[in-house]
């Protein structure tokens, strides 16, 4: 990616996910066009990781997982890794990779479901109940601390 130009140059393998000119070996699209393909629930995660990566001078690498909506309206998970390289004083180029991790994410979801829900009824199991109870206790403790502070301040 050429940061100043806001241009992404992607490998031709990405053509199976997005609309692109079939003649070219590479796919060149704008950063905005790519971000429009990112799933709405992941836009903030992607944007935050990318912003921190560009702003943080001590960090030359970034890594983030997010979903895109393909040209066929399917959801595909990507693992994106990149390294920024300063070419000239003002030009920054990011070299990286996109890996389709959809199968892995589907398996993680299956494992989660098997772990926390009954396979026959789909109802939450004991492990799910315990995890939710622990979260509720933690939230309650935080709320009590806030209540104690505000009552002392009054």
């Amino acid at each position: 990616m050429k940061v100043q130009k806001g241009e992404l140059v992607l490998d031709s393998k990405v053509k199976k996910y997005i609309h692109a000119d079939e003649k070219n070996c590479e796919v060149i699209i704008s950063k905005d066009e790519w971000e429009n393909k990112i799933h709405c629930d992941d836009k903030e995660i992607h944007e935050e990781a990318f912003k921190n990566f560009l702003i943080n001078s001590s960090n030359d690498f970034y890594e983030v997982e997010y979903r895109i909506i393909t040209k066929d309206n399917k959801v595909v998970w990507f693992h994106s890794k990149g390294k920024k390289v300063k070419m000239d004083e003002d030009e920054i180029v990011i070299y990286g990779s996109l890996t389709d991790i959809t199968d892995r994410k589907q398996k993680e979801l299956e494992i989660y479901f098997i772990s926390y829900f009954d396979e026959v009824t789909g109802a939450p199991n004991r492990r799910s109940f315990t995890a939710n109870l622990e979260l509720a206790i933690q939230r309650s403790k935080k709320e009590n601390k806030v209540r104690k502070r505000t009552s002392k301040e009054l």
Side-chain angles (χ1 to χ4, degrees), residues 28-132:
I28 300 173
I29 63 171
S30 71
K31 181 180 177 288
D32 292 338
E33 188 178 348
W34 181 255
E35 287 175 349
N36 286 335
K37 296 177 185 326
I38 296 174
H39 191 280
C40 60
D41 293 341
D42 297 337
K43 285 183 189 245
E44 191 174 320
I45 295 166
H46 178 269
E47 188 176 314
E48 189 69 29
F50 194 73
K51 233 186 257 185
N52 288 339
F53 167 66
L54 286 178
I55 293 170
N56 190 346
S57 60
S58 64
N59 189 6
D60 286 341
F61 296 92
Y62 85 97
E63 196 168 351
V64 65
E65 293 180 352
Y66 59 92
R67 294 166 286 183
I68 67 161
I69 307 299
T70 67
K71 63 184 176 184
D72 303 327
N73 285 325
K74 294 181 182 172
V75 176
V76 175
W77 276 94
F78 277 125
H79 180 239
S80 178
K81 291 165 65 168
K83 177 181 180 2
K84 65 181 164 188
V85 178
K86 294 180 182 177
M87 302 302 277
D88 294 327
E89 288 179 20
D90 295 332
E91 187 178 8
I92 297 173
V93 176
I94 300 170
Y95 294 99
S97 66
L98 286 173
T99 307
D100 183 340
I101 58 168
T102 306
D103 290 340
R104 187 191 88 201
K105 287 292 191 176
Q106 287 173 339
K107 288 183 182 18
E108 287 174 2
L109 191 59
E110 289 173 25
I111 290 168
Y112 174 82
F113 186 81
I114 290 168
S115 297
Y116 290 97
F117 297 90
D118 181 79
E119 290 185 62
V120 177
T121 64
N125 63 16
R126 184 178 185 153
R127 184 178 289 127
S128 177
F129 172 76
T130 305
N132 287 331

Side-chain angles (χ1 to χ4, degrees), residues 12 15-16 18-27 71:
S12 62
K15 288 180 187 175
K16 69 180 178 181
I18 65 171
H19 293 286
D21 185 5
E22 295 296 324
K23 297 174 188 172
N24 296 333
C25 297
E26 297 175 332
V27 177
K71 63 184 176 184

